[in-house]
Amino acid sequence: TTFEALERPLGHLDEGIRDVIAGKRVMKQSLFDAGTTASGRPHADHEHQRNQKLIAIAILAAGSAWLFALIALLVALLLR
């Protein structure tokens, strides 16, 4: 019958709506538990901060070495 023919597509529509609503519920949940970070490791933030400090120190050391080399080059050119 016509009613049965209409009921099948509406059943799929109903399932789709339920899936969307279930997806919204999942999206509203917290992504991370307390004490964990995006990587899922408990102390990854501390490691990230430590790595940033090490990178800053490395950049400072490289900049100092470059400046020292530039000064040495200038001194060598002036004393030639």
Side-chain angles (χ1 to χ4, degrees):
T1 65
T2 306
F3 182 72
E4 289 174 356
L6 288 175
E7 188 175 298
R8 271 183 261 137
L10 292 178
H12 291 294
L13 179 63
D14 185 51
E15 287 178 35
I17 291 171
R18 289 178 196 273
D19 287 343
V20 169
I21 292 171
K24 285 184 180 180
R25 285 189 197 127
V26 169
M27 290 172 58
K28 287 181 183 178
Q29 293 175 353
S30 175
L31 292 176
F32 312 112
D33 293 336
T36 61
T37 60
S39 66
R41 296 182 302 165
H43 300 291
D45 284 337
H46 176 69
E47 291 175 17
H48 180 72
Q49 289 176 351
R50 184 180 57 105
N51 289 340
Q52 282 184 328
K53 288 179 184 177
L54 290 174
I55 290 170
I57 290 169
I59 290 172
L60 182 63
S64 299
W66 182 83
L67 185 61
F68 182 75
L70 183 64
I71 292 170
L73 179 63
L74 290 174
V75 169
L77 289 175
L78 290 175
L79 295 178
R80 170 168 79 129

